[in-house]
Amino acid sequence: QVQLVESGGGSVQAGGSLRLSCAASGYTYCMGWFRQAAGKQREWVSSIRTDGYISYASSVKGRFTISKDKAKDTVYLQMDSLKLEDTAMYYCAATRRWGVCDRSLGDYWGQGTQVTVSS
């Protein structure tokens, strides 16, 4: 079992930045972020594999940066140039399944952290 603890959400004006953190309680093969806006389905945002391979959803590519501190088993999501449509609850997810590092990586989930972008 892996426990994920997120932090770093908050409110920011459009064009601003926030950084989310997610600490895992043990080894993971892949960690990533999902988000769910009010009234919408949860969507995959980004993920990072244990070997450093990274992928992004097209909606955030070029604005968000995912990274990982292996020593701390912690993944970060640096969000720049935030837009109103980035407002959502952001969830950290992880898996230990080898070869899985995409939208299906959610074997373990964090509690979520709210990001609100205002004009």
Side-chain angles (χ1 to χ4, degrees):
Q1 192 78 2
V2 177
Q3 292 184 329
L4 303 174
V5 179
E6 301 141 339
S7 61
S11 298
V12 66
Q13 288 191 320
S17 299
L18 283 174
R19 189 175 85 152
L20 307 182
S21 300
C22 175
S25 61
Y27 168 79
T28 58
Y29 174 79
C30 178
M31 294 181 71
W33 294 92
F34 290 72
R35 66 186 181 185
Q36 187 168 19
K40 295 188 177 181
Q41 288 189 330
R42 186 175 297 185
E43 64 171 345
W44 169 79
V45 174
S46 180
S47 52
I48 183 167
R49 212 163 57 189
T50 189
D51 63 357
Y53 180 80
I54 288 171
S55 53
Y56 296 100
S58 57
S59 58
V60 305
K61 199 167 187 178
R63 301 187 297 119
F64 291 11
T65 304
I66 193 170
S67 60
K68 185 176 182 182
D69 184 332
K70 283 189 173 182
K72 297 181 179 179
D73 288 324
T74 298
V75 67
Y76 304 96
L77 187 68
Q78 177 67 39
M79 304 184 293
D80 299 318
S81 302
L82 282 161
K83 303 177 180 180
L84 297 179
E85 52 263 42
D86 294 319
T87 294
M89 184 71 79
Y90 283 70
Y91 296 91
C92 178
T95 183
R96 286 180 167 173
R97 290 180 287 152
W98 188 88
V100 175
C101 200
D102 55 16
R103 292 160 179 77
S104 62
L105 71 90
D107 292 330
Y108 306 101
W109 293 91
Q111 77 282 2
T113 185
Q114 178 68 37
V115 171
T116 302
V117 184
S118 60
S119 59

